[in-house]
Amino acid sequence: MDDFILDRRLESDSDRVMQAGLCDLRLSKDARWPWLILVPRRANITELFELTPLDQVLLTFETEMTAAALKKITGATKINIGALGNIVRQLHVHVIARFEGDANWPGPVWSFGKAEPYEAGKRDEFIAKLREALSS
């Protein structure tokens, strides 16, 4: 666990929200969708099956908690969860709130258009709401 280093693309494309038991929880810098990323703090892991059974359970638990909190604070039509890793190999799980009529609904968010940055105040407000939802 001490050898964990966050992939530099994940670091540059997202802001840290908090550390959960296993994962760093991060907010994508693309404001078009409320988009969270869970990154297990384990070195050299690229696949779910490479985690220990206990870490697999923790990742599932943290993913479900994150998804429920995101649904609660956004009222999303659908929560998308995915772990692709074709570009960034470090294991990470995307948790994305989708709404009818959002950018590219109902199509995928991957590689669609150009990312739109958050206004600092809106980003900070969203992170505060998320932290509150996760702690209740």
Side-chain angles (χ1 to χ4, degrees), residues 64-75:
E64 297 303 316
M65 278 185 43
T66 299
L70 188 58
K71 177 92 172 182
K72 177 181 177 180
I73 66 174
T74 66

Side-chain angles (χ1 to χ4, degrees), residues 15-85:
D15 292 312
R16 190 165 197 261
V17 174
M18 63 186 287
Q19 183 175 335
L22 172 67
C23 296
D24 270 350
L25 177 59
R26 304 188 64 85
L27 173 65
S28 169
K29 290 182 178 178
D30 189 347
R32 295 176 295 168
W33 302 279
W35 184 336
L36 302 171
I37 304 163
L38 290 156
V39 185
R41 294 185 57 82
R42 298 295 185 255
N44 306 314
I45 298 291
T46 60
E47 308 292 348
L48 287 166
F49 59 79
E50 294 174 338
L51 292 170
T52 66
L54 178 57
D55 282 351
Q56 291 175 25
V57 170
L58 285 170
L59 178 57
T60 300
F61 177 74
E62 291 175 15
T63 301
E64 297 303 316
M65 278 185 43
T66 299
L70 188 58
K71 177 92 172 182
K72 177 181 177 180
I73 66 174
T74 66
T77 304
K78 181 74 174 86
I79 299 294
N80 292 175
I81 299 172
L84 303 177

